[in-house]
Amino acid sequence: GAALVARNLINLAIRKHFLNLFPDPTKLKKKKELSPYQSIISWFGDGNSLDLMLIENKNTYLKQLESIPNLAELVEIYQPKLNKNEKLLMMEFVLFGMAEHSLIGKNTLERGLRFKDMLDSMFSNSNFGEENMN
């Protein structure tokens, strides 16, 4: 219903705004250029995942985001003028943007979200094929 429509609109907005701030993953594939997202994709592809809970201790949140190789560096390169809190938010936004561009998977948890490998995300999702996938 309405919640699904709202979620789809938010996801579309994330997908479009991501392209205003970071390189377009689709164009990088077509040009066969080295992707600035590759080390992040590989980290998830190695069986790692990241759970972002709705209520999270700031230190835990920070450690989780910083555990992903080159995520902070990616944000620093493309958004260098951010303060520390804005940088953390942008690091999370990168994960959402990468999920919306099908570079990594995103699953809804009871009280948060899990980012992980795209294929693993598809096969482990109990609602495989439904709209809440991605």
Side-chain angles (χ1 to χ4, degrees), residues 63-123:
K63 285 178 186 176
Q64 287 180 314
L65 288 174
E66 289 180 341
S67 71
I68 302 173
N70 298 319
L71 180 58
E73 291 81 358
L74 177 76
V75 170
E76 185 63 36
I77 290 168
Y78 292 99
Q79 301 301 316
K81 296 181 181 181
L82 302 177
N83 67 41
K84 185 171 181 159
N85 288 332
E86 292 169 332
K87 184 176 179 180
L88 284 174
L89 178 63
M90 192 60 66
M91 288 167 69
E92 184 176 341
F93 181 76
V94 167
L95 297 177
F96 276 88
M98 289 178 68
E100 291 309 315
H101 285 275
S102 301
L103 300 175
I104 60 175
K106 178 181 76 177
N107 296 100
T108 303
L109 302 174
E110 188 173 317
R111 295 177 189 227
L113 293 168
R114 174 172 291 151
F115 293 95
K116 58 188 194 174
D117 178 63
M118 188 66 186
L119 287 176
D120 186 43
S121 183
M122 284 192 286
F123 293 121

